[in-house]
Amino acid sequence: MYLDFYGLHAHPFQLTPDPAFFFGANGHTRAKSYLMFGLSQGEGFVVVTGDVGAGKTTLLSHMLRSLSDRTIRVARLSTTQLSADDTARVVARAFGLAEPTHPTKGAWLEAIEVFLTQVRAAGERCVLIVDEVQNMGFAALEELRMLGNLGIDDGHSALQTILVGQPQFRNTLAGPSLDQLRQRIVASCHLGPIEPDEVGHYMRYRLTQAGWRGDPSFEEAVFPAVYRHSGGLPRRINILCSRLLLAGFLQERHDLRAQDVEEVAAELEVEAGEVIGVAGETRAGARLDGRFIDAGSLADLEERVLGIEERLRKVDLVVRRGLLNFSDFVSELNAVWKGRP
């Protein structure tokens, strides 16, 4: 709704991960370097952890988009609450393999091995990205490790796996039962919040990508206020800033202040029943005035705001179409009027 008002051609703070909006904060750039190093090894496991909303998916999408190596086949696994028997089937499906005549675990494993052997023969390799890996049990993780042994030729595997999850996965990984998996990790990085002095650069970068030319303007106090209410996590910054621009549009304002940020944050707290986050993250969530807010509540809030944003986009589309139809109607009416004798 605020795009035309501020002369933007895209939503600068959309919640859907978009590699075109990747911002190279210090921590994100460092994490990308670790990822690129890990991929260059061509084998084993790469581990990426980060808090909810830290930008893990955007980082991965940006990294894969920037790869010049076109011989890499990428598949993504999002369903991680799997049994050991389900893992091979889901991985095979992720790479687009057809279901075997008799779809047993052994048949799926054989199909994967044939596929990986063909991939290596073609001079290519596969990368499997496993999202939300903190939900995966020991047996399923062991299955992933065993899959890395398939299709090996001259000591090199055709499959490399990137494990992406929340910080608690590091505790799981540290357990004695996953010692063999740990020994296969070639690179590991943790994605934290962006620094307080990077928030302004982050906001301006995303706005510029969306066509921003200084409208709206922001007083300097806006940026520390945004950090204070977001904890520096990109997704929460996006939630807050998207609502900030909407509030500015509704008030027909072209200058936004720290007080506007405070009002928007208060509105979000009232609407969702929880705060959108504060600085000083813990592994499981955040604290405000001694009150614990778990990561699940924060994620629920982010999902609700995403739904509100999507509904606003649909309203915006309907309004635009209505205005276009009305404009056509007025043009036709003028033509008829001018043609009268």
Side-chain angles (χ1 to χ4, degrees):
M1 296 179 69
Y2 52 74
L3 296 188
D4 289 340
F5 184 72
Y6 290 125
L8 305 174
H9 59 68
H11 288 273
F13 299 108
Q14 64 181 19
L15 298 186
T16 304
D18 186 343
F21 283 86
F22 173 76
F23 174 73
N26 291 334
H28 289 67
T29 300
R30 185 167 55 252
K32 180 184 176 183
S33 298
Y34 277 103
L35 279 172
M36 297 300 289
F37 169 78
L39 279 178
S40 71
Q41 304 305 296
E43 62 180 354
F45 290 82
V46 178
V47 177
V48 182
T49 57
D51 293 311
V52 175
K56 299 184 293 295
T57 302
T58 301
L59 170 64
L60 283 169
S61 299
H62 172 76
M63 178 202 66
L64 293 172
R65 183 179 179 179
S66 64
L67 281 178
S68 58
D69 189 350
R70 302 300 178 186
T71 64
I72 298 178
R73 302 191 188 188
V74 179
R76 190 181 296 271
L77 191 64
S78 298
T79 304
T80 53
Q81 293 181 334
L82 303 170
S83 67
D85 291 342
D86 288 333
T87 302
R89 173 180 58 82
V90 174
V91 170
R93 286 288 181 81
F95 281 109
L97 304 188
E99 183 171 319
T101 304
H102 303 290
T104 62
K105 177 183 176 181
W108 282 115
L109 288 173
E110 182 179 356
I112 293 173
E113 184 165 25
V114 170
F115 167 69
L116 293 177
T117 301
Q118 293 173 342
V119 166
R120 281 209 64 88
E124 301 176 348
R125 62 191 179 99
C126 295
V127 172
L128 175 66
I129 299 174
V130 183
D131 283 326
E132 303 299 337
V133 70
Q134 75 277 354
N135 298 325
M136 187 169 275
F138 165 75
L141 288 169
E142 274 294 286
E143 284 296 314
L144 288 181
R145 182 182 68 81
M146 296 300 294
L147 289 178
N149 296 329
L150 300 179
I152 291 181
D153 181 33
D154 295 331
H156 296 285
S157 173
L159 177 64
Q160 186 173 32
T161 303
I162 301 177
L163 303 177
V164 185
Q166 296 176 26
Q168 57 265 38
F169 177 63
R170 290 183 173 270
N171 295 333
T172 302
L173 198 58
S177 58
L178 291 177
D179 184 59
Q180 292 188 72
L181 177 59
R182 279 200 308 278
Q183 293 176 14
R184 299 284 302 277
I185 295 175
V186 296
S188 177
C189 62
H190 178 76
L191 202 59
I194 65 177
E195 298 296 327
D197 59 356
E198 294 179 312
V199 170
H201 299 300
Y202 173 87
M203 291 171 58
R204 293 188 184 100
Y205 175 79
R206 292 190 67 106
L207 282 161
T208 300
Q209 291 297 101
W212 180 64
R213 296 182 178 180
D215 182 17
S217 62
F218 302 89
E219 71 171 359
E220 280 302 312
V222 163
F223 308 124
V226 169
Y227 178 82
R228 186 168 60 254
H229 288 286
S230 67
L233 290 175
R235 189 185 300 170
R236 296 184 202 160
I237 295 175
N238 292 350
I239 291 172
L240 189 57
C241 289
S242 182
R243 183 61 72 89
L244 180 63
L245 292 181
L246 177 60
F249 160 71
L250 294 175
Q251 299 174 35
E252 298 185 350
R253 294 259 313 283
H254 293 275
D255 60 314
L256 300 177
R257 302 161 301 184
Q259 181 58 35
D260 301 317
V261 178
E262 300 297 334
E263 292 173 1
V264 166
E267 289 174 3
L268 286 170
E269 181 178 354
V270 170
E271 290 174 10
E274 297 288 353
V275 293
I276 66 170
V278 293
E281 287 292 297
T282 68
R283 288 187 174 182
R287 292 185 181 275
L288 178 66
D289 297 333
R291 184 163 61 97
F292 184 74
I293 309 300
D294 63 43
S297 298
L298 295 172
D300 289 343
L301 173 56
E302 291 160 2
E303 185 175 344
R304 293 178 196 175
V305 174
L306 179 59
I308 293 171
E309 186 179 80
E310 182 61 28
R311 288 194 292 274
L312 286 173
R313 288 181 188 177
K314 291 179 179 179
V315 170
D316 185 27
L317 181 61
V318 171
V319 171
R320 290 187 184 204
R321 287 176 177 172
L323 290 174
L324 182 61
N325 291 336
F326 180 72
S327 177
D328 291 342
F329 171 74
V330 171
S331 297
E332 292 176 4
L333 188 62
N334 285 334
V336 171
W337 180 261
K338 289 180 181 180
R340 293 182 61 184

